[in-house]
Every structure is written in structure tokens, then in C-alpha cells.
Amino acid sequence: MKSKKRVTIYDIAQRLNVTASTVSRALSNNGYVNEATKQLVLKTAAELNYKRNTLASNLRMGQTQTIGVVVPRINQNFFSNVIAGIEAITYQKGYNLIICQSDELHEKEVKCVNTLINQHVDCIVISVSADSYNYDHLQNVLDQGIRLIQFDRVAEELETLKVINDNEQASFEAICHLIGQGYKKIALLEGPQNLNIFRQRKIGYLRALEKFNILVDETIVVENAWTKELGAEATRKLLSLRTPPDAIFASTSDFSALGVLEVATAMGFKVPTQLGICGYSNEAFTEITSPSITTIDQFSVNMGTAVANLYFDELGNKDTSVTPKTISIKPELIVRASSSKKSQV
Amino acid sequence: MKSKKRVTIYDIAQRLNVTASTVSRALSNNGYVNEATKQLVLKTAAELNYKRNTLASNLRMGQTQTIGVVVPRINQNFFSNVIAGIEAITYQKGYNLIICQSDELHEKEVKCVNTLINQHVDCIVISVSADSYNYDHLQNVLDQGIRLIQFDRVAEELETLKVINDNEQASFEAICHLIGQGYKKIALLEGPQNLNIFRQRKIGYLRALEKFNILVDETIVVENAWTKELGAEATRKLLSLRTPPDAIFASTSDFSALGVLEVATAMGFKVPTQLGICGYSNEAFTEITSPSITTIDQFSVNMGTAVANLYFDELGNKDTSVTPKTISIKPELIVRASSSKKSQV
DNA sequence: TATTTTTCTGCAATCGATTGCATATTCAAA
DNA sequence: TTTGAATATGCAATCGATTGCAGAAAAATA
């Protein structure tokens, strides 16, 4: 029942007493074809409900008009937005998207990348998983002559096109803002330091402290606090210190910041008067918590369009090697109630 | 620079002085191959960094181990969760996912489906766009011998496998709950009625009213209020009525419910005492608004796994036609503060 | 030892679309 | 009318992997 034989160009050719070559030329608008013949072919193709077999075509042409995307989690806001951004552009160009998710696992990421290579995608777009410990698989992509674009979480040592956020600057500005609001002792919830984004955010934090001659207090810098639960746990400890911090920068995510807010409220700390909070990512919910949470917008959809445009502008059909290039998108600090001590007073 | 020639089975064959047939058999573990030869092939393949060309393989084999997914919006929570669910299963089975987004546009949806057909995906999984006005393109999928599974928003008249939520029942229960809490005049914010899900939710609403002998008041049934803005606008009107409703069921989405909440609060209506609110979808933010919003959880990730499992269990490699079958997932009413009048008093 | 069975490998066709080259036809310029 | 260019179409190879068939070699059985 299933495999009703698909219609091919040979079927059309036979019916019109021409060869497949002619049909192919008519359909692809390539080379000389008599206008009348062409119309006939088109008409017959429509009648027979012909659909081009992209597999065959791609095999012959040596390219697939397909871009493979590997992200840690498809259903994480930031990534699904980036994907949507990529899609907006690739769709216009008639490109397809194969989406893989690494689940933050290096092993799975490697498998995904290999599958994409096997699929002969024209380009692989990736944001690496949190536990990446080497980038051989990405080097491999390059070796196979496949374009590679990294975004957000990137392996800095690989010479590829990259689209990143200026995490350091954003983080720096966030801390400056907190200091400007009068907070004196600012804790940092940091993410896995093997990821560039978290390293950069920490650097921004340190740079801001330095600027204001504040000594770094390692006891209020908490590692790996990047979920709501971990953020909550860290906060419980921080606020139980003899001299607790008066602000917490959840540099990992807004979820973490939410954990901070909930625990702080539960422990009777008034936000923002007794405790300032700043998150990262501008998740939708940050606007509607009470108080609303100060955070950093990453322009995720734009990041996606930037990635796609980069491909078409820089790599597209060019056959030459490409000079590595990094596009940096400036995130925006969004000041909300959770860190507005001055305006509150 | 770019097109470093990829290694093929012929390269391996040449090096070992055998034919491609042997190499193919060795690599695919198919048919007779001398163990020693096989090991040699495997070793050489690894050395040369050989990657199978899936295009060629798929063309020859007539199937792609790929499933195409079409959703209205990739970066909409519900859909990205379903996709994540699908991915979890398909990944285990070694299948690939091509993701398309219809942007709620019928025309684009048709194009996406056609692309997927051209790509010879083994199965298309779709949730139709809001402005679908016919389903020829889906019939076409079937005609091409491609499996089709619909989920959530389905074209009921098409005889395919379907995975849906029991929207009617969920809606019914939500209204019963509101009535049970003492709300007497319950407004409905409804979605586009060409979509099954919104029709069903309305039916559930009507059925619940009927059960309690409440007459339907058409003036408090608002069409197409499925964004936050539209929900807000509708609420502004509803609450300005001479006798405003004392509860609003935003059957379209939690965003709409959020709009309701914001406007109600702004207009000085106390939630839940003066106005009960119930949303739909259990978006993350519903838990952290104040008051938190009563809503309905759709088990979106499960829906994805159900879809994928359905494919492998029912369609997989079977060559027969399939009896249409509908899997209905029971959503769960999550009662929160926004509708808990009794417990408040 | 003769015969059958099993294992191994190669040949060549196949999947469907594309394209360089060759041939044939048309049309226009000389 | 002759010549050259432009137009139309066909032939056959190609992309890379798979597989039915056939022959050869090895192993098992009579």
C-alpha cells in the first residue's frame, strides 16, 4: 500500500516522448529547451504530481542547501529563539534546517555533528554543550570542507566564523549599575567556566569591581549555580553569612535569579532595598515577577538572523577559505525593580 | 580550498585492492565478508576519516530515516517542547529531524510540506497553522506514500494518526472548577474556530455551563483573543460592562490570561475575589505571577514522545496501510491562586 | 576422492537528477 | 545559396552506496 511509486523525470519524459535530459532542463530552467516543450513538461509534471527527488539532485550537485544546527536544548528559550531567527533567513533562501540537540552532552554532540556531516549539510551552526572537553569533531567539520559557524557558546581556539554576545561588557555594565545603585557587596553566581560565556561574564564582573576598587571576595563567588534550584541553594548560603552580600548577580540565567528572589523573599530580605538582584537573558517571566527582575537582553532572534546572514554573505557559494571573523552583538541591560534601590528610596 | 574531495568507499576499496561492494558490505555489516578483510576495511575507513554519504545511501535505499516536523512557531514553548520530546525518541532510533515553521501561514505551511516531500522524509509530523483553509497538501503527503502524523492542531477530516489533548474535557473541568469556586458569570476568550483545539475548548465550556444550567451569554464570549494584547483588550471591554463577568477563562493561552490579570489589576479588580482567572498551557510564568494563575498543563514533551513512539510502533517499516488512530492525552487542571476564591475567604 | 554447501568477492545495474559533448535543426547574415 | 551562429534534443557518464547474480575458493559432507 505504502510505496506508491513516485513520479520521476523519466515518467514525464516517456509520456512526452523526450528524454529525461530535456525534462530536467525544462524543470530546472537550465540550458536550451523549446518553449513549447517546456510548457508541456511543466504541465505534465503538475498533472502527474511530480516532486523532485532532492536526494538524487543533491547527490549529483554535491550540495544540499541544508544547514545543520546543533544546540544544547531545543526547548530552551534562548536557543529556540536563535533557531527561529536562523529559520527566518534560511527559509527565504530556500534552505532547509536540520536541528539536533546535544542535551549538554559532549558525546551526543559529537554524534550529532557526525550525522550532519554524513547528511552532507552545507554548513553546521553550533553552540557547544556545557561539558565539551575537546573540539576534534568541529575540526573534523572543517576538514570535510563543511562550513562551520559557532554562536554564543564558542570554542575560541577554533578559527571559524563566530557570532557572540559581548558578555563581558554586559556583565560589566550590570555590575556598574548595581554599584551605582549603592550596593556594596555583590555576589556572583557563575556558570561552568569551560564555557566562554560564563568566563566572560566573570571577567566583566571582576573588571567592574576593579574599576571601583572593590576587593574580590571569593566567599561570595559561587560556582555552577545555573538552575533555579542551584540559584536558590546558593542564595540560602549567601544570605546566611555573617555579613551577607547586599546584591546578587545571577550571571548564569534568569532562572537562577528567580531562585535568588524566591529564597530572599522567603528569608525576609526585602528586594531591592536589602538585596539587589540581576539576572541574565531577559526571560519573559522577569518582567512579571514582583519585584520585576533586572536582567540582560541577548537579542536572541537577532543572533539567529546574524548567523544565517553570515553564512550567506561570507560563505555561501564562495569556494575560497574564509578569514575567521567574529560578530559581537551588544546585549542590553534592562533595569527593573529588583535592582533599583535609589529610585525606591 | 573548500571542496577537499570526500573519502568514498571507492577510495577505501582502491587502497585495499578490493571492490566497493566488499567495502560496502564490510561497513554495513551485510552479507558475507571475510573477517580479516572487514577489519582492514574498518581500520582503513577510520584512518582515512571516511564518512558515509547518506545522500547516496538514502537514494539507493529509498528511505531517509528522517522525520519532518512542521509547527507554527519553533520558539513557542509548547511546540519547542513537543519537538524536544520527538527528538528524544528519534535520536535513540538514529533518525534525523528536519524542522520547519509555518509562521501560522497556510502558504508557508504548504511550501514546508512540499520541501519535506522533496526531501523524501519518511514521515511528516505536523500541527497546522491557524489560517489553514484546506488540507490538500496533507492529502498529498499521503498520496506520495509518506507517513503523516498530526498533533495538537489537527485536520479532523483527514484519516491519519493523531495525537491530541483532550481539550474539551480539560476545558470542561476548568469551568466546573470555576463554578465550584462560586463564580457565576464566566467569560470565555476563544481562539480561531477553524482550529480544532479552540473549537473543543469552547465545547467544553458550553458543556460545563449546560451541566450547571447556566445560560450562555454571548456578550461575554470573545473571539480571537489569543495574545496578551488581545486578552488585555478583551478584558478592558468585559470589565467595563454594566454587569461584568466574575471570572474569565482565557482558553487560548496563558499569555492571554496574563493580559487579563494585568488589566484586571490595573482596573482595580481583586483577583481572585472579584475576578477569577484561568489560562491554558501552564507556561512557566503562570506560577510566579501574583496571584499565580490557574491553568492547564498539556504535557507537551510527552506529546512529542507519544508522536515519535506512534511512528515507530505503528508505521515504522510496516508496508501496509494503517488504520487511523487517535491518541488522546489528558491535560491536567492546575489550580492556583487566581481562581481560588473559596480558599481565600 | 567426489560432491555439496558455505563463504568470499567481483561485476554491473540501480536509485533519480544533472550536464558535457555531439548531433540535428532552425534562423539569420553574407 | 552558403556559412555561421543560435537553439533543441539526445546520449551517456556521473554523484556514492547498495545488492542480485555469478563464479571462485574454501569448508563440510558423503
Side-chain angles (χ1 to χ4, degrees), chain B residues 110-184:
Chain B
V110 173
K111 279 196 194 171
C112 289
V113 167
N114 280 330
T115 314
L116 292 175
I117 294 177
N118 291 350
Q119 293 277 339
H120 272 235
V121 295
D122 294 343
C123 174
I124 292 181
V125 170
I126 192 171
S127 195
V128 299
S129 72
D131 81 333
S132 305
Y133 42 82
N134 77 55
Y135 302 109
D136 296 351
H137 56 306
L138 297 187
Q139 185 54 54
N140 209 233
V141 171
L142 267 9
D143 294 346
Q144 299 282 337
I146 295 179
R147 306 312 202 168
L148 180 64
I149 301 181
Q150 301 190 76
F151 76 92
D152 197 51
R153 305 177 179 184
V154 304
E156 279 151 339
E157 60 266 49
L158 277 180
E159 302 211 322
T160 68
L161 292 185
K162 300 182 185 113
V163 177
I164 55 169
N165 265 309
D166 191 342
N167 285 281
E168 183 186 329
Q169 182 63 20
S171 177
F172 175 80
E173 288 175 15
I175 301 300
C176 289
H177 155 74
L178 288 173
I179 295 174
Q181 288 289 314
Y183 296 105
K184 307 251 181 267

Side-chain angles (χ1 to χ4, degrees), chain B residues 4 94 98 110 126 166 175 197 213 226 287 316 323 326 339:
Chain B
K4 333 206 179 193
I98 297 185
V110 173
I126 192 171
D166 191 342
I175 301 300
I197 52 170
N213 292 312
W226 68 331
E287 210 177 346
T323 8
T326 299
S339 69

Side-chain angles (χ1 to χ4, degrees), chain A residues 43-98:
Chain A
K43 185 160 152 271
T44 318
E47 273 173 25
L48 298 180
N49 196 12
Y50 164 82
K51 305 271 172 195
R52 163 197 269 126
N53 184 332
T54 327
L55 290 178
S57 176
N58 288 344
L59 173 59
R60 177 60 223 250
M61 309 277 273
Q63 57 147 320
T64 52
Q65 309 248 102
T66 298
I67 291 179
V69 182
V70 184
V71 294
R73 287 250 141 75
I74 297 173
N75 54 342
Q76 197 169 307
N77 234 286
F78 172 72
F79 293 116
S80 69
N81 280 331
V82 174
I83 293 174
I86 297 177
E87 201 275 349
I89 305 295
T90 53
Y91 173 73
Q92 290 170 16
K93 302 277 186 175
Y95 269 61
N96 284 103
L97 237 41
I98 297 186

